[in-house]
Amino acid sequence: DNDVGNNSVLSFSLLWDACDAFTIDVDSGIVELAGIVDFETQRECILDVEVSDSGSPVLSSNISFVINVQDVNDNPPVFD
């Protein structure tokens, strides 16, 4: 069954960000890059997210997920 009222109002929080480069929208749960990640120094970022409802009592759940960083050519060309 679908939740109604306060039970259906969810909020999201970023509990841990291994790269210290991401943010999460508290209302939608959309994760966005807010800093710099570099493939040469860290090839993956692990995020721990918690979602909570607004019911009484408050119910929550956590999830961890991995973001794989891809390499791009971020070095300027060198000419001899």
Side-chain angles (χ1 to χ4, degrees):
D1 65 27
N2 291 330
D3 289 332
V4 294
N6 287 339
N7 291 343
S8 67
V9 179
L10 302 177
S11 63
F12 300 84
S13 59
L14 190 56
L15 300 176
W16 187 64
D17 173 1
C19 293
D20 196 29
F22 294 89
T23 61
I24 191 166
D25 184 278
V26 296
D27 297 317
S28 69
I30 293 174
V31 174
E32 294 183 312
L33 183 62
I36 297 172
V37 292
D38 186 4
F39 179 82
E40 281 78 21
T41 59
Q42 194 155 10
R43 295 183 180 210
E44 66 180 24
C45 297
I46 301 171
L47 305 180
D48 292 338
V49 174
E50 179 180 69
V51 60
S52 303
D53 68 11
S54 298
S56 180
V58 172
L59 301 176
S60 64
S61 185
N62 297 354
I63 187 169
S64 296
F65 61 96
V66 176
I67 296 175
N68 293 310
V69 179
Q70 294 186 346
D71 195 15
V72 296
N73 186 0
D74 56 351
N75 298 313
V78 176
F79 299 101
D80 293 329

